[in-house]
Amino acid sequence: MSTDNRSEKKSSIQLNVSEWVKLYGDYLYNYCIYRVNHAEEAEDLVQDTFLSAIKAKDSFRGDCSEKTWLLTILKRKIIDFYRKKSIQSIQQSINSEQIATGYEEYFIRDGKHEGHWSSLGKPNNWSVSSSTLLETKEFYKVLQHCFSLMPEKWSSVFKMKIIEEMETELICKELNLNASNYWVIMHRAKLQLRKCMALNWYEAK
Amino acid sequence: MNNTKELIQKMGVLFLNCKQATLLVVMEQEVKLSFLNRVKLYVHLNLFCKYCKTFKIQTTMLQKSINKQVQEDLTLRTNFKMNEDKKLHIAQMIEDILKV
């Protein structure tokens, strides 16, 4: 007859599972909320992290702290979240008319001047005094707004690059992009961002 | 003269349009460009196109602001708390699993 091991301490590596929510709940939530921007999504990710961790508790080797280990699991889920969001936005763009356009609001499409700035798209100078306003809260609100206008796919790439500081190759692997896709996304995202900031901040009346 | 014609044709290889130039500007912010691309870009920005030059200045500035804000947020915004009811709910779930 095999003994019931569940009630015994299997090894010297003890996981404080019943204390997890109290000890690490807010910590994981805080890490998450900034990256997914949505309270409910963040809560679900934290919950999923705890549940996955319980399932995987035998794989915990004790070579890092419990907190670090849980964070690693959460980080994985956040990347999966970015991927899910970026796939959703592909579906959306397939349905919309935007798929054929994209560069047209910035560059002339054909003819002798193909690839040159269109009259509406070309960047205007920003006055020097605007740049001294960089530090204000209002500026960052406008920046946030411009980000929110981006398709999820682009903002996923951006977040993975800037917040998660992931290598381009890894971002491409996670989101199933090739290098060319990546650069087109970055290109279009920065064109849009610059234009949005021009309209709403630097050249706003 | 044939030589001039050939030279001009070869120089065509050096010319970028603005769509290509702005793409290189974006790439340059993250990776090192090939020597040829760097030359092409320099020629376009400094000899031909003030708009692309402006684009470069503006996107560089924006990138700096974004990086700065992200770093600040990551270090300073650490006081978000999970909803208490949700915490209780999760704690209960865990307890139920552990009992099994």
Side-chain angles (χ1 to χ4, degrees):
Chain A
M1 286 284 254
S2 58
T3 50
D4 182 6
N5 284 327
R6 273 195 299 258
S7 54
E8 291 174 6
K9 293 180 169 107
K10 264 190 179 164
S11 64
S12 58
I13 301 167
Q14 250 316 301
L15 286 173
N16 220 348
V17 180
S18 50
E19 297 292 295
W20 277 354
V21 174
K22 192 171 78 178
L23 291 173
Y24 310 123
D26 285 334
Y27 170 74
L28 293 176
Y29 179 75
N30 205 86
Y31 186 91
C32 209
I33 186 83
Y34 184 62
R35 290 156 164 85
V36 309
N37 282 129
H38 204 269
E40 268 177 48
E41 310 258 27
E43 284 168 359
D44 287 344
L45 284 170
V46 172
Q47 178 177 300
D48 288 345
T49 299
F50 285 138
L51 296 179
S52 292
I54 291 174
K55 281 201 192 120
K57 68 177 169 10
D58 291 338
S59 72
F60 178 62
R61 299 266 167 270
D63 50 2
C64 62
S65 71
E66 224 173 29
K67 194 184 196 184
T68 307
W69 183 65
L70 287 168
L71 185 62
T72 307
I73 297 172
L74 177 65
K75 281 180 181 178
R76 178 70 244 167
K77 292 194 183 289
I78 288 174
I79 292 179
D80 293 339
F81 175 82
Y82 288 146
R83 189 195 300 116
K84 194 178 80 174
K85 284 284 155 183
S86 83
I87 291 172
Q88 280 172 2
S89 90
I90 296 174
Q91 291 306 321
Q92 278 166 13
S93 66
I94 285 172
N95 297 331
S96 81
E97 286 162 33
Q98 274 200 321
I99 188 143
T101 67
Y103 282 115
E104 276 160 9
E105 56 186 290
Y106 312 107
F107 304 113
I108 295 169
R109 192 172 176 177
D110 27 42
K112 195 169 100 173
H113 296 290
E114 184 193 341
H116 289 264
W117 289 104
S118 64
S119 53
L120 285 178
K122 64 187 194 299
N124 299 315
N125 285 326
W126 293 343
S127 65
V128 172
S129 59
S130 301
S131 65
T132 63
L133 298 172
L134 276 178
E135 315 292 311
T136 67
K137 261 191 175 154
E138 284 70 31
F139 174 82
Y140 290 112
K141 274 206 185 110
V142 175
L143 193 56
Q144 278 279 61
H145 168 72
C146 287
F147 263 102
S148 71
L149 296 176
M150 274 193 218
E152 295 273 12
K153 192 177 189 185
W154 302 359
S155 53
S156 288
V157 171
F158 243 93
K159 283 182 184 177
M160 287 165 94
K161 193 64 171 128
I162 298 176
I163 301 178
E164 310 299 339
E165 293 178 312
M166 287 167 71
E167 294 291 330
T168 302
E169 217 176 292
L170 188 56
I171 296 174
C172 288
K173 183 164 166 251
E174 293 290 349
L175 298 185
N176 202 27
L177 303 168
N178 61 36
S180 173
N181 298 146
Y182 174 85
W183 291 117
V184 168
I185 288 172
M186 272 304 194
H187 190 201
R188 292 179 63 183
K190 291 194 177 184
L191 283 164
Q192 182 176 306
L193 192 66
R194 190 216 68 84
K195 184 174 180 184
C196 184
M197 290 305 290
L199 280 173
N200 293 294
W201 182 258
Y202 292 99
E203 296 168 35
K205 287 293 161 258
Chain B
M1 295 195 63
N2 275 345
N3 281 346
T4 317
K5 231 181 171 180
E6 266 175 38
L7 186 61
I8 291 174
Q9 272 174 358
K10 283 204 177 123
M11 279 175 74
V13 141
L14 279 180
F15 296 150
L16 299 168
N17 63 36
C18 301
K19 187 173 168 185
Q20 294 164 330
T22 50
L23 174 61
L24 285 179
V25 165
V26 168
M27 289 177 77
E28 194 183 43
Q29 288 182 333
E30 291 181 39
V31 296
K32 188 172 176 188
L33 300 178
S34 70
F35 179 72
L36 183 58
N37 280 334
R38 266 184 281 148
V39 169
K40 285 180 179 181
L41 185 57
Y42 182 88
V43 165
H44 183 90
L45 294 182
N46 294 297
L47 301 184
F48 288 116
C49 188
K50 65 174 182 180
Y51 297 117
C52 286
K53 184 157 196 179
T54 305
F55 175 81
K56 177 175 172 169
I57 291 167
Q58 292 173 352
T59 41
T60 305
M61 195 164 74
L62 285 172
Q63 190 63 50
K64 279 206 178 102
S65 301
I66 291 167
N67 289 339
K68 182 168 178 230
Q69 184 61 18
V70 166
Q71 286 313 310
E72 250 177 52
D73 285 344
L74 287 175
T75 50
L76 296 179
R77 284 171 53 169
T78 53
N79 55 0
F80 285 101
K81 298 216 184 303
M82 201 158 47
N83 175 284
E84 282 303 320
D85 287 338
K86 186 70 184 181
K87 273 197 223 174
L88 285 171
H89 173 75
I90 297 175
Q92 188 60 55
M93 272 178 98
I94 290 177
E95 229 176 288
D96 291 342
I97 293 172
L98 289 178
K99 278 188 193 141
V100 170

